[in-house]
Amino acid sequence: TADDRYLHTASFAFSSSMRQFLLPLSRGAAVVIASQEELLDPPALLDRIDADGVTVADLVPSYWRQLTRQHLQPANKLRLLLSASETLLSDLPARWTALGHRARMVNMYGQTETTGIVAMHTITPDRGGEVRPVPIGGPIPGTTLQVVDSAGRQVPIGVVGELLVTGPGVGLGYLGRPEETAKRFVGDTYRTGDRARRLRDGTFVLMGRIDEQVKVRGFRIEPGEIEAALKADPRVEECAVVARPDPFGEDRLVAFVVLRQDASFELEPASSLRAALRTTLPAYMVPPVIVAIDALPLTPTGKVNRAALSPPDVTHTEPGITPNQPAELLLAGLWSRYLGVAQVRPDDNFFDLGGDSSTGIRMIQEANLAGLALTPNHLFRYQTLGALAGAASQPELSAVRPAPSAAQPIRVTLDSARSFGEEALLQAGLTREHAALMTSVQLEASLRGQPTHNLGAIPRYARRLASGATNARPEIRIVRETGVSALLDGDNGPGQLVALAAMDLAMEKAAATGIGVVGVRRSNHFGAAGHYVLQAALRGLIGLATTNSALWLAPTGGVTPLFGTNPLAAGFPAGRHHPIVLDASMSVTAKGKVAQHLEEGRPLPPGWIFDSAGRPSVDPADLVAGLGIPIGGHKGYGLALVMEALSGVLTGAGFGSDHSRARLKQQGLPPDFGHFFMAIDPELFLSRAEFLSRVDRMIDEVKGAKRMAGVEEIRLPGEAELRAREHNLREGVPLSPAVYQALEKYRRDAGLRSELVAVEMVEELAGRA
């Protein structure tokens, strides 16, 4: 209004300065122009706000955060605080309010190319919640916002894509830059380059820049997620995370932090912050280098100048070690270069200095080239510089390997297992992205304790890819599509990749329309069906999946196998409990469990085998007589037939005798397995809260039912596997001794550099690696 006094803080070279001039003047309000000296002195700026009776302030979040560091008395007349030009995190308005400021806060969004603000959101401070991006709200009148994928198609609610702005404010393009204009401007629509997602209430949330997404060690990482985790630490005032090359040219994460003056640390600050991050972030997102600085560099427009952030240059080391300890001196130099630290002492711990298993493996390899005798396992057993150097001086230790045990699994680090799988599949011909995706499916199976289609199957898949039996470079394409359905052609690609694409598409359609149905043809077997429906359950959707495969089962009353293993999976989200994840196979899984029980001399639980009359049995002879259908008579036969009809007949893929190995070999054809996926949004029928509450009630009744004698707990389908996953993420990826030895043999034969690093001293490593 005409009574307002609007604080002008933007550089005249910044488009926001036009808003800060024209908006107040157009309403008859006064403009209070902050001097450069005041902008460099936050206490002086707050004094100016008080002295001149400023009622409206318009700030960049980076500068706003600097004001909150002053702990000064709130401005008396400030009634409106506007934020724009950067992603605003929720901790900032919450802290501003906690300091006693009463002004209404509004988050705004716009770019120079859109003539300023195109969206805004009134902020409600969340004092106790997690640190997250504040929504930018909805579009201003006359403007449209939409989120699209890389092909320009609008994505469903909740899915991240690129934010587009359409409206009269969109500019005509860049002067004298026709190629750049063609990339960003299409009519009155502008491609912002910002990643965003739309919420169910119609508001939008920014998820970072497309060009700020980094890829480190094969992982796609949003630096903003790490920054949010760091800012949640009460010892951190502000921070910025960037990817910078290490001394060997490979990108690594570097975090620059401004510490609060009253911050206290039990360990060296960087080590303490890394330890805290490991409790909330996966290991690959914890920056190995954390640099404490006095203030983040800013651009003339007040934004964080990420280009000016660079880690300290470590060109030499002063380890403080006498020259008569050559192993320590050599390792100190390597640690200094690999970890980016200027000084290394004998009692320094590799992991406390920011090391990880991937860096450690490379460092050990270079140490061995220099004449030491070490394995990566030494690094986990002897984590300090002095201890590792001592181990290297004892040749008998260089042969230390985990001792195979028939009773205990050999646990390997998550990073080394992932590196092994990705390198093996990359060498076999997959792209780096596809190798990472396929490895994640196999690795998740191992983490859940699945006895088949896990990490141990990677050599088999790699050999099929290398031989051409499976297409290493498939072009997965949509053959037919409607709003709720799609048919994919898998191009004889690995079933895991095809299934991931199909399930993702089904979930996108379910998020947009309530239901998504996707069929697949010309694919290979996708292995563990439970993985895909679990993704739906974690998204709050109901997931269903089935497939067919090589012939194994005969119909009841017949002797000719006509059905595959027919995995069937269903996933249901829950509120207070683990999701329900049924992953059933008509033969292999059940037969494997039967064989395991018999081998260990344990009785078979009733229901694992059915006799010819469909009655529960514990006699293995009934399994043989039933020709491999352990769920009984016509029930199992009928279910197999239904799954063949959905995954084979309906999708146009092969079914029945089409999958005869002899026939495929004779005709020289690749297999044509079919998959069938569904994702259902429960909100088609009732609210999400009511659905989750009813699922929880169902689970409570199941768990509260009367138990058999000697049974301590009734578990849900998939619950044991999800508990195992949580345990194995802490303790290490479990491999049976036979699988471990087979993978090690494949590694040597294939010449892979990625070694499976055994986890020892588990309690010590749980908080480190």
Side-chain angles (χ1 to χ4, degrees), residues 411-412 414 446-449 721 723-734:
R411 294 188 177 275
V412 300
L414 187 65
S446 287
L447 288 171
R448 295 196 309 273
E721 289 79 4
R723 288 185 184 180
R725 183 183 187 276
E726 294 171 354
H727 175 78
N728 293 330
L729 279 173
R730 295 191 303 268
E731 304 295 333
V733 183

Side-chain angles (χ1 to χ4, degrees), residues 551-587:
L551 303 183
W552 187 272
L553 308 174
T556 298
V559 294
T560 303
L562 290 175
F563 303 118
T565 54
N566 292 110
L568 171 67
F572 284 78
R576 294 179 286 102
H577 300 276
H578 286 100
I580 300 174
V581 181
L582 171 67
D583 187 357
S585 171
M586 297 291 289
S587 62

Side-chain angles (χ1 to χ4, degrees), residues 207-272:
M207 306 298 291
R209 290 285 299 171
I210 290 177
D211 51 10
E212 283 180 5
Q213 187 183 71
V214 298
K215 194 169 185 181
V216 177
R217 292 165 49 206
F219 296 100
R220 296 182 183 277
I221 297 172
E222 291 293 339
E225 294 183 32
I226 306 173
E227 291 170 0
L230 276 169
K231 289 174 183 176
D233 192 308
R235 300 168 294 188
V236 175
E237 186 63 51
E238 51 188 330
C239 65
V241 176
V242 296
R244 293 289 183 262
D246 65 14
F248 310 95
E250 296 186 13
D251 277 346
R252 63 178 172 181
L253 294 170
V254 181
F256 296 86
V257 296
V258 178
L259 302 176
R260 293 184 179 173
Q261 294 181 352
D262 58 350
S264 61
F265 299 89
E266 295 180 1
L267 303 172
E268 183 268 335
S271 299
S272 294

Side-chain angles (χ1 to χ4, degrees), residues 71-196:
H71 298 284
L72 301 178
Q73 292 298 316
N76 293 328
K77 295 184 178 180
L78 190 63
R79 71 169 186 85
L80 181 61
L81 181 60
L82 308 175
S83 174
S85 302
E86 286 180 335
T87 298
L88 176 63
L89 296 178
S90 59
D91 70 313
L92 185 49
R95 186 176 179 191
W96 184 257
T97 301
L99 291 174
H101 297 275
R102 304 301 180 192
R104 175 182 173 224
M105 296 172 286
V106 176
N107 191 28
M108 308 188 300
Y109 172 79
Q111 297 187 353
T112 304
E113 293 88 341
T114 64
T115 322
I117 301 305
V118 294
M120 57 185 182
H121 172 74
T122 297
I123 302 168
T124 302
D126 183 1
R127 299 189 181 188
E130 61 179 325
V131 179
R132 60 185 184 277
V134 174
I136 61 172
I140 63 174
T143 298
T144 301
L145 303 180
Q146 58 178 325
V147 181
V148 301
D149 60 18
S150 58
R153 299 172 298 192
Q154 186 164 331
V155 301
I157 292 172
V159 176
V160 177
E162 182 179 11
L163 183 66
L164 304 189
V165 178
T166 303
V170 172
L172 300 179
Y174 301 107
L175 183 63
R177 297 163 63 190
E179 292 184 1
E180 189 66 19
T181 296
K183 292 179 183 177
R184 291 297 186 95
F185 294 87
V186 182
D188 62 348
T189 296
Y190 173 64
R191 298 183 57 183
T192 66
D194 284 326
R195 300 174 71 250

Side-chain angles (χ1 to χ4, degrees), residues 439-462:
T439 297
S440 70
V441 176
Q442 307 307 121
L443 190 52
E444 283 292 328
S446 287
L447 288 171
R448 295 196 309 273
Q450 184 174 311
T452 59
H453 302 295
N454 53 26
L455 197 69
I458 281 187
R460 173 162 55 93
Y461 291 130

Side-chain angles (χ1 to χ4, degrees), residues 67 228 255 281 361 474 597 699-700 716:
L67 291 180
L281 296 176
I361 290 171
H597 270 61
I699 293 173
D700 288 338
L716 298 167

Side-chain angles (χ1 to χ4, degrees), residues 345-394:
R345 297 177 296 272
D347 58 350
D348 281 339
N349 186 293
F350 181 81
F351 297 100
D352 284 343
L353 293 179
D356 54 41
S357 59
S358 178
T359 304
I361 290 171
R362 289 189 299 160
M363 187 274 297
I364 289 294
Q365 289 172 340
E366 186 169 346
N368 289 338
L369 291 175
L372 299 184
L374 292 169
T375 72
N377 287 322
H378 283 106
L379 184 59
F380 290 103
R381 296 182 65 187
Y382 309 102
Q383 296 174 16
T384 66
L385 179 70
L388 185 63
S393 66
Q394 302 176 51

